[in-house]
């Protein structure tokens, strides 16, 4: 029961972080948003680490660093596709892919799903089709580029879950610290290489907008780190497959905020797809 509570709570927090990251990416480059969020998260983790303890080991460091590389790819693609929008469509698509990746790894590794689990996987695929189908004029419509970025992001996020789950149970927050350190190093390196281009995108009257984006990116980093800590605790208390599916429900937070703040409109069939995706996630969690 505790794992379920942690999973759903982390999902809502993840969704809020993604919303903030998507808004920030509309004011500055997605690469810079990812870098600032990662650095902010690293600071938060370094402050919190003494309270969580943890045993240092090569496995904790290397797996944490590997997840940081995957995270740089995942979050960069995620914030970029959310900046293009619509958030209410791309976020659920990313989530479904995120859940399927660890489940697939588990099945290949010998884990077994019950009948309800396989039915849920089928429903998840149908949900993806429904969510991406826009029959009504005026309804939000994702571009192919945005869809491909969402799928790529979901695959990378699912990989992070697998890597973090493999980290030693006694490592505390050490894997997350190296995740953020490597993530921030990669993204700031890219920012440095593309600084001229970044300045052109944020030149002139965009100064105030850039400053707003900075605040949003920092807030995103704090919120995302809280969700990551919840994920780490969850996979250590319960099964990876259950936590993966529960945290994949994070679009709930993004959709709620997108609907309230951005007034995004989606078609009825897409609402049905979202409901089906949530139902599939619940079935997988109960499997």
């Amino acid at each position: 029961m505790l794992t379920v509570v942690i999973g759903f709570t982390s999902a809502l927090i993840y969704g809020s972080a993604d919303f903030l990251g998507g808004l920030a990416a509309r004011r500055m480059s997605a690469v810079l948003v990812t870098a600032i969020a990662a650095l902010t998260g690293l600071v938060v983790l370094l402050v919190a680490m003494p309270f969580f303890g943890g045993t240092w080991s090569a496995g904790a460091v290397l797996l944490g660093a590997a997840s940081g590389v995957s995270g740089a790819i995942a979050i960069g693609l995620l914030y970029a596709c959310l900046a293009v929008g619509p958030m209410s469509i791309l976020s659920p698509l990313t989530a479904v892919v995120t859940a399927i990746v660890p489940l697939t790894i588990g099945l290949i590794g010998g884990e077994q799903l019950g009948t309800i689990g396989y039915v849920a996987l089928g429903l998840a695929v149908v949900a993806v089709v429904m969510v991406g189908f826009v029959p009504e004029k005026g309804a939000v419509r994702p571009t192919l580029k945005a869809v491909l970025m969402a799928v790529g992001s979901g695959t990378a996020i699912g990989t992070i879950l697998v890597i973090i789950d493999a980290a030693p149970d006694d490592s505390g927050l050490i894997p997350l610290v190296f995740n953020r350190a490597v993530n921030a190093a990669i993204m700031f390196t890219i920012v440095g290489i593309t600084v001229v281009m970044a300045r052109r995108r944020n030149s002139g009257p965009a100064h105030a907008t850039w400053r707003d984006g900075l605040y949003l990116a920092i807030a995103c980093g704090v919120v995302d780190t809280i969700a990551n800590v919840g994920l780490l605790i969850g996979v250590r208390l319960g099964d990876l497959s259950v936590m993966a599916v529960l945290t994949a429900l994070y679009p709930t937070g993004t959709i709620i905020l997108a609907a309230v703040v951005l007034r995004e409109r989606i078609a009825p069939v897409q609402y049905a797809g979202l409901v089906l995706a949530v139902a599939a996630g619940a079935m997988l969690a109960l499997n």
Side-chain angles (χ1 to χ4, degrees):
M1 181 61 182
L2 181 58
T3 301
V4 174
V5 172
I6 293 175
F8 274 117
T9 302
S10 297
L12 292 175
I13 298 174
Y14 269 127
S16 300
D18 291 346
F19 178 78
L20 292 170
L23 288 182
R26 294 183 177 184
R27 293 162 171 80
M28 59 173 65
S29 71
V31 173
L32 185 56
V33 171
T34 307
I36 294 172
L39 182 60
T40 302
L42 176 60
V43 172
V44 173
L45 288 169
L46 289 175
V47 172
M49 193 163 63
F51 299 97
F52 284 81
T55 301
W56 289 82
S57 66
V61 173
L62 293 176
L63 289 171
S67 70
V69 174
S70 186
I73 298 171
I75 305 304
L77 287 174
L78 179 62
Y79 294 165
C81 76
L82 291 182
V84 175
M87 289 186 181
S88 53
I89 300 302
L90 297 174
S91 182
L93 175 58
T94 304
V96 172
V97 178
T98 297
I100 289 177
V101 169
L103 283 171
T104 302
I105 296 297
L107 291 174
I108 293 175
E111 290 185 5
Q112 297 293 323
L113 286 178
T115 301
I116 189 174
Y118 290 108
V119 172
L121 285 179
L123 290 178
V125 174
V126 174
V128 172
V129 176
M130 294 176 66
V131 167
F133 180 62
V134 186
E136 293 186 3
K137 182 179 178 180
V140 288
R141 185 185 302 275
T143 64
L144 176 61
K145 180 180 178 180
V147 169
L148 291 177
M149 286 192 295
V151 172
S153 176
T155 301
I157 295 173
T159 302
I160 295 173
L161 297 178
V162 175
I163 295 174
I164 291 297
D165 180 61
D169 291 339
D170 61 353
S171 58
L173 297 181
I174 294 172
L176 293 184
V177 169
F178 279 88
N179 171 292
R180 290 303 175 184
V182 170
N183 194 320
I186 292 174
M187 302 315 294
F188 273 113
T189 298
I190 297 175
V191 169
I193 295 174
T194 59
V195 63
V196 175
M197 185 180 299
R199 285 177 177 174
R200 289 177 180 174
R201 285 196 295 266
N202 298 292
S203 60
H207 176 72
T209 301
W210 188 93
R211 185 174 61 247
D212 292 341
L214 175 62
Y215 296 148
L216 287 167
I218 291 174
C220 170
V222 173
V223 175
D224 185 65
T225 299
I226 294 173
N228 278 324
V229 173
L231 170 64
L232 185 66
I233 294 173
V235 295
R236 288 175 177 171
L237 291 177
D239 295 331
L240 170 63
S241 57
V242 173
M243 278 301 296
V245 173
L246 289 174
T247 54
L249 298 176
Y250 67 80
T252 302
T254 306
I255 291 172
I256 292 174
L257 290 175
V260 173
V261 178
L262 303 180
R263 305 294 183 184
E264 287 192 355
R265 174 179 174 271
I266 61 178
V269 67
Q270 293 172 299
Y271 277 116
L274 296 180
V275 172
L276 191 60
V278 173
M283 291 171 64
L284 285 169
L286 293 173
N287 178 72

